[in-house]
């Protein structure tokens, strides 16, 4: 019963954030006009929005893809973070701690420096993110047989440092490309319909797989031995969730660049509100992550208007202090 | 269901931890595995549970454990580790419900019957009042009963308990062991447990298996295994062993004199 209320509340918050994202900007759009214009696009519905052609263009070509991409990227990062946390039994596990971000950063820098062509960026980010996580996973797995939780996170940190070092080297080699690399690394969700279309299929597949593993992640939370004693192949479940979470990360990173802290802040806030069961944490993170990033993007593009702040700056500004709070709370539980 | 352990060996990290262990836990009886620290007691339990690869043969109800699919294995063997990991914000009912995992398909969810089974077990262990409480807010004794509840929800005929009385005071030790014994008799369960307290082991178990240095050094009834000679030799302790209630031995530590 209470679960239903929480889900409905999260959906309402997401809808409200998306509506605000559509209305606010250099050209303010009225709520009624926006809703009518959206309704008009539905099949069998005809409504007169009262928006000028210019406003309609802003709504459908700029704001709508931006809000959709923001919601998708935020939801993916948050649900991937929750998935990683379940796999590693570590509330601090996050797409960025596990080598995904650094991997993508490296491959994208490589593409920008070597090819100079923007079209290959999404694919490069995708390969880099997946490669980074696999590298961290492989390293953590071989370092200790079976792969302890701490080892895997430490391996992620090592992989991140190593890949970032190469990336920085490449970037300094070609100073003229510095600004493009930085713009991508700091992230933005203004990629338009093309990015939305590219991201959507991965988003649907990855999110569906993750959401369907909520019960098994709850079983894993009692430890590998006991999960095995309960008849669950712990290693296999982990691998499936790990691949799905990496797919979600890669999709989010290739469409939105490197946006930190969403994957750790959102699932943690969700746990505080609705308890620790992954059956609740995963779907709620998807909704709340979307709302969080749409709001962050709204702040990023209005606070210094007409200039735009990179969205990663906004999420880090909110996320870093939050991260420290979680760290302190975790330490208290452990001691 | 009878558990038969025949010439079992386990290597951990290339080091032999168990060698040539043979023992039997007969249907409906309680086998206590005793021995000094590092004797391989927990390792033996994990091998029986199928958590560690082993040489030799372990059968449950005549079927080799290593041939059982994980879910089938979890329907005949329930296991409670020495220090179970209790997710702090999981409720007692949710935790007990995990015991139904072997009956739920990979993509499935609990049926009404699973929920009912968990509820009935909590009721039986007087835990109904705690059903909605998060695990982090339980006392040591409550915690042990909750872990037992999860194992019972599995409805497996064999219960493997690794040191079920660790970190419990005298009263709670007795309470937990009495509970296990009652469940064993009521449901005809086979119980295999490690126990570090020799007197408790002698009080509750039908059969004892004394392990030392990774091998089984003695097996039989409490009176046969708990002799001053064997305990002195394998525990390095000076003890005197007296006769307790129902002819079960009681082990006293004796301080060296002079």
């Amino acid at each position: 019963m209470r679960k239903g209320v929480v889900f409905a509340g999260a959906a309402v918050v997401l809808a409200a954030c998306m509506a605000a994202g559509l209305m606010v900007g250099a050209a303010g759009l009225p709520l009624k006009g926006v809703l009518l214009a959206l309704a008009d696009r539905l099949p069998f519905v005809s409504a007169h929005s009262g928006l000028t052609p210019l406003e309609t263009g802003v709504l459908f070509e700029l704001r709508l893809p931006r809000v959709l991409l923001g919601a998708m990227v935020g939801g993916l990062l948050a649900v991937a973070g929750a998935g990683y946390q379940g796999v590693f039994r570590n509330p601090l596990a996050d797409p960025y701690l596990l080598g995904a971000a650094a991997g993508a950063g490296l491959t994208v820098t490589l593409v920008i420096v070597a090819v100079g062509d923007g079209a290959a960026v999404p694919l490069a980010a995708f390969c880099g993110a997946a490669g980074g996580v696999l590298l961290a996973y492989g390293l953590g797995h071989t370092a200790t047989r079976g792969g302890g939780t701490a080892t895997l996170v430490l391996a992620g940190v090592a992989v991140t440092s190593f890949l970032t070092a190469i990336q920085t080297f490449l970037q300094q080699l070609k100073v003229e490309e510095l600004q493009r690399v930085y713009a991508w690394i700091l992230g933005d969700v203004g990629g338009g319909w093309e990015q939305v279309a590219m991201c959507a299929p991965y988003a649907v597949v990855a999110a569906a797989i993750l959401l369907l593993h909520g019960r098994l992640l709850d079983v894993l939370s009692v430890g590998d031995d006991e999960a095995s004693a309960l008849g669950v192949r712990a290693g296999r479940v982990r691998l499936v969730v790990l691949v799905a979470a990496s797919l979600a990360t890669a999709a989010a990173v290739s469409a939105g660049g490197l946006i930190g802290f969403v994957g750790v802040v959102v699932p943690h806030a969700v746990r505080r509100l609705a308890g620790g069961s992954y059956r609740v944490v995963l779907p709620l993170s998807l909704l709340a992550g979307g709302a969080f990033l749409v709001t962050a993007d709204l702040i990023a593009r209005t606070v210094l208007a007409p200039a735009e702040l990179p969205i990663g700056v906004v999420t880090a500004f909110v996320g870093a202090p939050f991260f420290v709070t979680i760290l302190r709370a975790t330490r208290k539980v452990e001691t | 269901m009878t558990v038969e352990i025949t010439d079992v060996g386990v290597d951990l990290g290339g080091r032999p931890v168990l060698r040539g262990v043979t023992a039997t836990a007969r249907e409906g009886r309680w086998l206590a595995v005793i021995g000094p620290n590092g004797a391989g007691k927990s390792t033996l339990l994990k091998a029986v549970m199928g958590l560690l690869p082993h040489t030799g043969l372990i059968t449950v109800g005549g079927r080799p454990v290593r041939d059982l699919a994980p879910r089938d294995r979890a329907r005949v063997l329930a296991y409670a580790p020495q220090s179970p990991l209790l997710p702090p914000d999981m409720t007692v009912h949710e935790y007990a419900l995990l015991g139904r995992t072997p009956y739920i398909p990979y993509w499935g969810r609990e049926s009404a019957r699973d929920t009912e089974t968990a509820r009935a077990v909590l009721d039986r262990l007087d835990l109904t009042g705690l059903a909605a409480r998060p695990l982090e807010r339980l006392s040591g004794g409550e915690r042990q009963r909750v872990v037992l509840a999860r194992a019972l929800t599995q409805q497996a005929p064999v219960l493997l308990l690794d040191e079920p009385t660790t970190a419990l005071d005298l009263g709670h030790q007795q309470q937990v062991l009495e509970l296990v014994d009652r469940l064993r008799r009521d449901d005809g369960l086979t119980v295999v447990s490690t126990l570090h307290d020799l007197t408790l082991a002698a009080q509750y178990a039908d059969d004892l298996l004394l392990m030392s240095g990774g091998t089984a050094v003695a097996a039989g009834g409490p009176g046969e295994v708990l002799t001053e000679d064997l305990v002195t030799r394998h525990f390095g302790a000076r003890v005197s062993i007296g006769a307790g209630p129902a002819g079960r031995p009681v082990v006293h530590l004796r301080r060296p004199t002079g």
Side-chain angles (χ1 to χ4, degrees):
Chain A
M1 195 61 214
R2 199 176 148 242
K3 235 198 254 180
V5 174
V6 173
F7 278 116
V12 168
V13 169
L14 175 61
C17 291
M18 289 176 76
L22 292 175
M23 289 157 60
V24 180
L29 302 176
L31 178 61
K32 193 178 158 202
V34 167
L35 293 180
L36 285 174
L38 288 176
D40 191 37
R41 294 289 171 112
L42 295 176
F44 314 118
V45 178
S46 170
H48 185 67
S49 64
L51 297 180
T52 65
L54 180 68
E55 286 176 327
T56 309
V58 166
L59 176 62
F60 285 103
E61 295 312 314
L62 297 176
R63 301 266 172 86
L64 190 57
R66 184 165 190 142
V67 163
L68 284 179
L69 195 61
M72 207 147 62
V73 168
L76 284 174
L77 288 173
V79 80
Y84 284 130
Q85 286 152 26
V87 166
F88 298 127
R89 279 195 291 275
N90 185 333
L92 294 175
D94 163 274
Y96 292 80
L97 265 182
L98 294 167
L106 175 59
T107 47
V108 168
T109 308
L110 207 61
V111 164
I112 292 177
V113 168
V115 189
D117 179 15
V121 165
L123 184 67
F126 188 85
C127 298
V133 174
L134 288 179
L135 196 61
Y137 181 73
L139 193 64
H141 205 72
T142 47
T144 55
R145 233 189 359 264
T149 302
T151 325
L152 278 158
V153 174
L154 286 177
V157 172
V159 167
T160 298
S161 307
F162 184 68
L163 297 180
T164 308
I166 304 178
Q167 188 255 328
T168 310
F169 176 77
L170 284 173
Q171 167 188 310
Q172 298 301 324
L173 214 59
K174 282 278 194 102
V175 181
E176 59 271 28
E177 303 285 4
L178 207 59
Q179 201 183 345
R180 281 186 62 200
V181 174
Y182 267 127
W184 183 83
I185 281 181
L186 291 169
D188 92 281
V189 289
W193 285 112
E194 195 189 314
Q195 294 284 355
V196 174
M198 197 218 73
C199 187
Y202 298 108
V204 171
V205 171
I209 295 176
L210 286 170
L211 295 191
L212 285 170
H213 278 80
R215 181 182 67 84
L216 288 166
L217 283 177
D218 279 346
V219 178
L220 281 197
S221 68
V222 298
D224 278 12
D225 274 0
E226 278 178 88
S228 301
L230 287 167
V232 170
R233 293 179 202 266
R236 190 195 284 180
V237 172
R238 287 206 155 146
L239 194 62
V240 173
V241 174
L242 203 65
V243 167
S246 300
L247 186 66
T249 304
V253 165
S254 63
L258 304 186
I259 302 168
F261 294 105
V262 180
V264 63
V265 167
V266 172
H268 185 75
V270 163
R271 272 190 201 99
R272 282 278 168 90
L273 283 173
S277 168
Y278 280 96
R279 293 193 225 194
V280 179
V281 170
L282 288 168
L284 266 188
S285 294
L286 192 67
L287 294 172
F292 178 72
L293 206 66
V294 169
T295 310
D297 182 50
L298 187 61
I299 295 169
R301 60 194 168 84
T302 52
V303 73
L304 287 183
E308 241 182 57
L309 204 59
I311 189 169
V313 170
V314 179
T315 58
F317 197 77
V318 181
F322 207 89
F323 187 84
V324 176
T325 321
I326 303 170
L327 191 64
R328 286 171 63 97
T330 317
R331 284 173 60 94
K332 223 174 281 166
V333 173
E334 276 174 5
T335 49
Chain B
M1 248 182 216
T2 297
V3 179
E4 293 222 55
I5 302 165
T6 313
D7 192 25
V8 163
V10 172
D11 284 7
L12 287 179
R15 200 170 56 87
V17 179
L18 289 187
R19 274 298 169 259
V21 177
T22 297
T24 304
R26 266 176 252 290
E27 175 158 343
R29 289 169 74 89
W30 187 329
L31 172 72
V33 183
I34 56 171
N37 296 338
K41 307 188 291 290
S42 297
T43 307
L44 180 65
L45 235 55
K46 283 186 183 177
V48 172
M49 190 59 235
L51 299 176
L52 295 173
H54 58 268
T55 59
L57 186 65
I58 299 173
T59 62
V60 180
R63 289 188 295 170
V65 167
R66 66 162 69 89
D67 293 348
L68 293 173
R71 280 154 54 90
D72 295 335
R73 196 180 61 209
R75 293 181 195 191
V76 290
L77 294 164
Y79 168 73
Q82 187 166 356
S83 32
L85 194 62
L86 302 178
D89 43 17
M90 191 178 272
T91 66
V92 168
H93 179 259
E94 286 169 339
Y95 185 73
L97 202 51
L98 290 182
R100 299 306 294 169
T101 304
Y103 302 92
I104 306 169
Y106 191 95
W107 302 105
R109 48 176 306 148
E110 296 90 353
S111 65
R113 211 181 123 235
D114 293 324
T115 316
E116 179 51 34
T117 306
R119 209 195 50 74
V121 168
L122 290 182
D123 199 35
R124 195 167 168 204
L125 300 196
D126 292 323
L127 289 167
T128 304
L130 300 178
R133 188 172 293 186
L135 297 177
E136 65 180 341
R137 289 186 22 229
L138 297 178
S139 71
E142 290 166 348
R143 222 174 274 179
Q144 207 63 48
R145 270 191 297 152
V146 166
V147 173
L148 214 51
R150 199 211 64 209
L152 286 177
T153 311
Q154 246 171 289
Q155 295 186 318
V158 179
L159 214 49
L160 305 174
L161 307 172
D162 199 354
E163 297 289 357
T165 59
T166 314
L168 293 184
D169 61 43
L170 217 56
H172 285 103
Q173 289 184 17
Q174 188 174 40
Q175 198 189 336
V176 164
L177 293 176
E178 285 294 339
L179 180 61
V180 171
D181 201 46
R182 178 165 62 91
L183 297 167
R184 177 183 67 84
R185 280 185 278 113
D186 291 354
D187 297 3
L189 301 176
T190 307
V191 177
V192 182
S193 74
T194 62
L195 279 174
H196 65 276
D197 187 307
L198 300 180
T199 302
L200 278 183
Q203 296 296 308
Y204 286 95
D206 303 302
D207 305 292
L208 297 185
L209 173 68
L210 173 59
M211 294 189 58
S212 183
T215 59
V217 291
E224 300 165 74
V225 176
L226 289 178
T227 62
E228 286 179 15
D229 173 51
L230 279 171
V231 172
T232 305
R233 182 150 20 119
H234 295 290
F235 285 84
R238 287 162 182 271
V239 294
S240 54
I241 294 177
R248 290 170 182 260
V250 176
V251 181
H252 302 281
L253 276 181
R254 199 154 40 88
R255 292 196 63 179
T257 45

